[in-house]
Amino acid sequence: MASIWSTLVPGAHAQNVRTIFFVRHADKVSDETDALLSDAGHRRAACLAKTLSDSNIQQIYTSDLQRTQQTAAPLAGQLRLKPVAIPLSKVDDLIAAVRSDKAANILVVCMDLTCQKFCGRSELRK
């Protein structure tokens, strides 16, 4: 997990601020397309859960790759949330889901390229 990014949706009033946390998946065991998390990755996922436990996350989105789901799992379990998995190839669907979601705070666990595409999309700023 390289970093945690958060962004505020423009136009939100101070009392209705929305925070979206973008997190790259934790360390994986190999370079296979759908590689699982390594032991270090599981430790980082647990660290993420501890770090965001008081962030009032109300919704979690992941890709369909196991490593993104495994990265989100400790926090999801702690918060009793069921992450929504959206296929890696459907960035537009992910954007639409996040934009239409009424949750105040959202976690998106993705891969580097997906996070970059998502953060660079102008539709999100509408």
Side-chain angles (χ1 to χ4, degrees):
M1 243 170 349
S3 63
I4 296 176
W5 305 311
S6 68
T7 194
L8 302 179
V9 173
H13 299 292
Q15 66 271 22
N16 294 323
V17 172
R18 180 181 211 196
T19 303
I20 304 169
F21 296 89
F22 294 91
V23 180
R24 179 188 175 271
H25 63 80
D27 305 302
K28 55 187 179 165
V29 294
S30 71
D31 288 332
E32 290 180 35
T33 301
D34 198 15
L36 301 175
L37 292 185
S38 65
D39 289 341
H42 285 286
R43 288 191 298 274
R44 287 180 188 255
C47 181
L48 175 68
K50 184 175 180 182
T51 300
L52 294 181
S53 64
D54 294 330
S55 296
N56 194 29
I57 301 289
Q58 297 171 332
Q59 182 61 273
I60 299 173
Y61 290 95
T62 69
S63 78
D64 53 345
L65 296 180
Q66 293 182 80
R67 63 182 168 268
T68 62
Q69 296 169 21
Q70 289 179 317
T71 300
L75 181 63
Q78 185 178 352
L79 299 177
R80 296 188 173 120
L81 295 174
K82 182 177 181 191
V84 175
I86 296 179
L88 184 64
S89 61
K90 302 205 177 244
V91 176
D92 290 338
D93 290 356
L94 177 59
I95 290 169
V98 170
R99 284 191 71 217
S100 66
D101 200 306
K102 303 299 181 206
N105 296 330
I106 297 172
L107 171 64
V108 177
V109 182
C110 51
M111 299 183 51
D112 286 337
L113 187 58
T114 306
C115 286
Q116 291 169 13
K117 285 179 184 178
F118 192 94
C119 291
R121 296 297 290 264
S122 61
E123 304 93 292
L124 217 129
R125 296 185 202 97
K126 291 181 183 176

